[in-house]
Amino acid sequence: MLTARYIADDKLMPWLLSLAETRQVLAPVRQGGQTLFAPLDADSQLDLEGLADASAKAALLPRCETLLEFHYSKGEGVPSRTELEVRETLPDRDAFLFGARPCDAKGFTVFDRVYDGGSRRDIYYCTRRDKTIVAALACTDPADTCFCNRVGGGPGDTDGSDILFTPVEGGYVIEPVTERGEAFLAEQPLVEAEGRLEEARQVRKDVAESMPGGDPLGGAQGEVLRLFDDQEFWGGVAAKCLSCGACSYLCPTCYCFNMTDEINGDDGVRVRTWDNCMSFQFTLEGSGHNPRNGKAQRMRNRIGHKFSYYPELHDGNLACVGCGRCIVHCPVSMDVRAIVAQARDRALAKQEHAND
Amino acid sequence: MTSTDASNLYLPDMGTIQEVIEETANIKTFRITLNNPDAMRNFRFEPGQVGQLSVFGVGESTFVINSTPTRMDYLQFSVMRVGELTEKLHKLRPGDQVGVRAPLGNSFPYKEMRGKDIVFVGGGIGMAPLRTLLLYMLDNRDDYGKITLLYGARSPFDMAFSYELPDWLEREDMTTELTVDNGTPDWPHHVGLIPNVLKEMAPSAENAFAVTCGPPIMIKFTIEALHTLGFKDEQIITTLEKRMKCGVGICGRCNIGTKYVCKDGPVFTNKQLKELPNEL
């Protein structure tokens, strides 16, 4: 394995800008009062303090992407006949995602199991995944809404990353995680870390130990499912939810999407956009029937998917990485940690009652 | 020209509408062939599987392929006009181009059903998925026992596949009963709700499977009637409808707990349905 590299604080931005000459560099930058992952240029204000407001998922699953282009034309020789040409528009740009937090990077592993699942390989996501180097930045100052340590992660984890940056005095220690991360670093004009690896490890260890504990939120598949028909519970949990969907749009693991056509004259595109299971329309059928017509059912699906259905289908892996953005940005301050804990308590209480 | 990268889940095959059949005031049937002769020749599906039909500029919707794999001259889809996409589909004519992503989903357990008596109970457009299995079985008649069909609609004018009904009524190797909620003076068949007619017909549950599809309320009472007749949940098969987009279990729209109707369905036995969380 390639030895660790080091970059000084004042060399970071010039290095990223030099990378941006040959590939898209996505990094957390200040934009309109928020910190968001966006293409980096010389005017960008890089913000590496804390967690970006939105997750980095758009790097691999854009908010809106064109899947197909189509064009209608008059049939040659048969004007009454309409010809239709359809072509796919696959991603073709190399990218470097810098400053994703370990939770963001781990979110990609949640996507990988679904979008790169053997026979159903989503070529748009997979191409972008193949063309993007994910460089995570270890956390040094977790917020009190962070709970990666309760969902099987940690502030210095490398799941889903190709490269890990760890802040140390004066700069960053850079370690390859995957072979392609190593190959990428080998081509970069970066100096060797020269014995600072231990310092980076210590930083990560200290931060991990500084995070408040709490019961793990995994392993509640059965409990969440047992509450499926408990309308009182889900109704209570969802009562103050506004169905705004901020939680799922900001979530690094929410991957549901919609596909719609847009047409202008003879030309059109089929686009894929993020969608949101908290929306009434998400499951509304043509007949008018809606299997999740209440907030309670939609909340149940969101929590159920993250903590029960997804783990059931994917070897116990949760579809939650503990970034806490859903807590930070919820307009009515809902807390997913509390909901899962309540669900577990309720299910256990019911179980005990049933055993009495 | 159309690019045909088979590895792209979302890229439809291009197809041409060969024939449009006006079934009822709001149901049309489309017979479609794929433009690429190899794709058409190599197309394989099993009874019960669905496909996504694209009207480019409007979008995609899921419909069952209601032709039978034993007759591959075209792929047939019957479409009730209920929304934007189906409205546009209904305006298409022979020669018009559509996209086809198919086959998707699971199929009727037609192999497991061999040697059994089969009772079909279809309501309205719910006859479409049954048709594919019925035709398949009629084309493999010796593999199956007694075949009984009960097909109902609101009125005689709402019965799809009317061009096939005389054959089904006359055939000696199947029993066909038709019913409508509201008859006309010259309607020679049953008038009454499907579950009630089914109870009158009283097909035997012994060594049998029942396959039912129709409006949810009809399915509910049909299953009750089948239970009364002695059918067990594992002998009752139905197909589910959900709003779907990707059709391959990714987009997250049609799940019921861990099951995705587009991928794990649309065909389920009533036993399987009872094991699912209650979110139909």
Side-chain angles (χ1 to χ4, degrees):
Chain A
M1 196 52 122
L2 182 89
T3 53
R5 300 296 165 100
Y6 173 81
I7 193 164
D9 284 329
D10 61 349
K11 298 277 195 333
L12 179 66
M13 188 67 175
W15 175 66
L16 291 173
L17 288 174
S18 72
L19 274 182
E21 289 170 11
T22 54
R23 56 171 67 217
Q24 186 181 58
V25 174
L26 295 158
V29 297
R30 292 297 288 171
Q31 277 187 350
Q34 293 184 311
T35 299
L36 304 169
F37 286 88
L40 193 76
D41 62 33
D43 298 327
S44 298
Q45 190 192 339
L46 196 62
D47 178 10
L48 302 179
E49 297 294 318
L51 204 62
D53 289 292
S55 82
K57 71 178 170 187
L60 299 187
L61 187 71
R63 291 178 191 89
C64 179
E65 73 176 311
T66 299
L67 301 179
L68 308 170
E69 292 176 345
F70 51 88
H71 174 70
Y72 282 101
S73 57
K74 293 265 191 192
E76 217 168 291
V78 192
S80 62
R81 182 69 54 87
T82 304
E83 299 287 335
L84 173 61
E85 185 185 339
V86 179
R87 66 180 192 89
E88 57 190 358
T89 53
L90 294 176
D92 60 359
R93 193 166 43 194
D94 288 326
F96 183 73
L97 172 62
F98 174 73
R101 296 295 173 166
C103 52
D104 284 329
K106 188 174 180 178
F108 295 139
T109 68
V110 174
F111 282 34
D112 291 343
R113 295 181 197 103
V114 176
Y115 280 74
D116 194 3
S119 61
R120 50 173 216 286
R121 192 164 193 272
D122 184 301
I123 196 170
Y124 299 89
Y125 173 85
C126 291
T127 304
R128 212 171 262 110
R129 184 75 158 124
D130 289 345
K131 288 177 168 290
T132 303
I133 300 283
V134 177
L137 176 59
C139 290
T140 48
D141 189 17
D144 62 6
T145 45
C146 291
F147 59 101
C148 57
N149 56 334
R150 295 178 65 189
V151 288
D157 273 13
T158 56
D159 277 2
S161 306
D162 296 301
I163 298 168
L164 180 67
F165 281 63
T166 305
V168 291
E169 188 66 35
Y172 300 87
V173 168
I174 311 167
E175 295 164 73
V177 176
T178 61
E179 279 180 17
R180 66 189 196 136
E182 185 176 9
F184 172 84
L185 283 180
E187 291 176 359
Q188 299 303 315
L190 297 165
V191 296
E192 294 217 4
E194 287 183 9
R196 301 198 64 178
L197 205 50
E198 189 49 44
E199 189 183 345
R201 284 188 187 131
Q202 192 60 46
V203 166
R204 296 199 292 264
K205 186 163 177 280
D206 290 346
V207 176
E209 285 172 358
S210 76
M211 286 189 77
D215 290 339
L217 296 175
Q221 284 116 287
E223 282 88 341
V224 173
L225 210 53
R226 271 209 297 284
L227 292 179
F228 200 87
D229 290 320
D230 192 337
Q231 284 302 314
E232 189 187 338
F233 176 76
W234 293 110
V237 164
K240 64 180 179 177
C241 171
L242 304 177
S243 294
C244 72
C247 49
S248 53
Y249 289 124
L250 296 172
C251 176
T253 70
C254 275
Y255 55 78
C256 292
F257 63 79
N258 197 3
M259 293 196 293
T260 48
D261 285 6
E262 292 169 9
I263 190 161
N264 184 6
D266 293 332
D267 295 297
V269 286
R270 177 159 294 169
V271 295
R272 158 154 76 186
T273 48
W274 290 355
D275 209 341
N276 162 34
C277 71
M278 305 306 283
S279 147
F280 177 81
Q281 283 84 0
F282 190 67
T283 47
L284 181 62
E285 295 167 17
S287 63
H289 173 64
N290 194 340
R292 297 184 206 135
N293 63 358
K295 283 191 298 183
Q297 287 102 317
R298 299 194 287 275
M299 178 68 71
R300 178 180 68 191
N301 184 68
R302 181 172 153 80
I303 300 295
H305 183 235
K306 293 192 172 305
F307 294 92
S308 174
Y309 319 152
Y310 185 97
E312 187 71 32
L313 291 171
H314 300 289
D315 303 322
N317 288 289
L318 303 180
C320 172
V321 291
C323 74
R325 288 185 180 94
C326 57
I327 305 169
V328 175
H329 296 285
C330 176
V332 292
S333 302
M334 303 196 73
D335 189 327
V336 66
R337 297 170 294 191
I339 295 173
V340 176
Q342 281 168 29
R344 176 177 290 161
D345 291 349
R346 174 106 168 176
L348 290 176
K350 279 187 154 186
Q351 183 88 9
E352 280 168 19
H353 184 68
N355 293 342
D356 282 346
Chain B
M1 218 193 77
T2 301
S3 48
T4 50
D5 184 342
S7 63
N8 188 342
L9 299 169
Y10 308 113
L11 179 66
D13 286 316
M14 295 310 298
T16 301
I17 295 178
Q18 300 297 345
E19 193 180 347
V20 180
I21 301 167
E22 199 155 332
E23 302 277 2
T24 71
N26 64 358
I27 299 173
K28 282 188 180 180
T29 286
F30 299 88
R31 291 181 169 167
I32 296 166
T33 53
L34 303 179
N35 294 354
N36 179 335
D38 288 337
M40 189 67 211
R41 196 166 41 247
N42 296 326
F43 190 90
R44 296 285 178 273
F45 77 105
E46 298 183 274
Q49 287 194 288
V50 298
Q52 287 276 7
L53 283 188
S54 276
V55 180
F56 288 94
V58 188
E60 278 187 317
S61 270
T62 321
F63 305 96
V64 68
I65 308 170
N66 75 59
S67 43
T68 159
T70 49
R71 302 178 211 174
M72 285 300 293
D73 303 334
Y74 48 77
L75 303 175
Q76 177 165 315
F77 299 88
S78 295
V79 176
M80 181 185 272
R81 197 178 66 238
V82 289
E84 198 185 356
L85 189 281
T86 52
E87 182 86 42
K88 290 280 186 197
L89 256 177
H90 269 230
K91 292 199 168 116
L92 298 185
R93 297 169 302 171
D96 283 340
Q97 301 291 294
V98 290
V100 182
R101 283 199 295 132
L104 303 170
N106 72 352
S107 60
F108 289 111
Y110 59 97
K111 290 177 186 158
E112 202 186 313
M113 296 164 93
R114 281 180 190 151
K116 312 275 186 188
D117 290 349
I118 313 292
V119 180
F120 291 98
V121 187
I125 189 70
M127 189 57 219
L130 304 193
R131 178 184 185 268
T132 179
L133 184 61
L134 174 63
L135 294 185
Y136 176 87
M137 289 180 167
L138 292 177
D139 283 352
N140 293 277
R141 190 64 193 86
D142 293 345
D143 290 347
Y144 299 93
K146 203 171 150 189
I147 293 181
T148 307
L149 166 67
L150 168 59
Y151 174 31
R154 279 196 196 130
S155 78
F157 311 107
D158 293 307
M159 300 215 109
F161 314 114
S162 53
Y163 43 94
E164 283 169 328
L165 297 180
D167 177 46
W168 295 349
L169 284 162
E170 281 165 24
R171 287 183 78 118
E172 289 182 357
D173 59 354
M174 69 181 282
T175 304
T176 302
E177 300 285 350
L178 305 178
T179 186
V180 292
D181 299 348
N182 301 299
T184 52
D186 57 348
W187 174 252
H189 306 285
H190 298 273
V191 175
L193 297 176
I194 289 168
N196 297 338
V197 178
L198 178 64
K199 276 191 262 188
E200 279 171 35
M201 289 166 62
S204 168
E206 183 126 350
N207 196 37
F209 273 107
V211 192
T212 182
C213 189
I217 190 79
M218 179 220 110
I219 294 184
K220 180 172 183 268
F221 287 107
T222 296
I223 289 175
E224 278 183 20
L226 287 166
H227 282 156
T228 310
L229 295 170
F231 282 83
K232 297 194 167 51
D233 286 326
E234 53 269 34
Q235 292 173 277
I236 302 172
I237 298 164
T238 188
T239 71
L240 293 187
E241 193 181 355
K242 286 271 172 211
R243 188 168 183 188
M244 302 174 195
K245 283 287 173 177
C246 73
V248 290
I250 298 181
C251 82
R253 196 172 295 266
C254 68
N255 74 300
I256 305 171
T258 57
K259 299 290 183 202
Y260 289 81
V261 174
C262 68
K263 175 169 75 73
D264 304 309
V267 177
F268 293 91
T269 65
N270 204 44
K271 182 166 186 282
Q272 289 169 325
L273 288 187
K274 282 189 170 170
E275 285 161 4
L276 289 179
N278 177 25
E279 196 175 65
L280 302 184

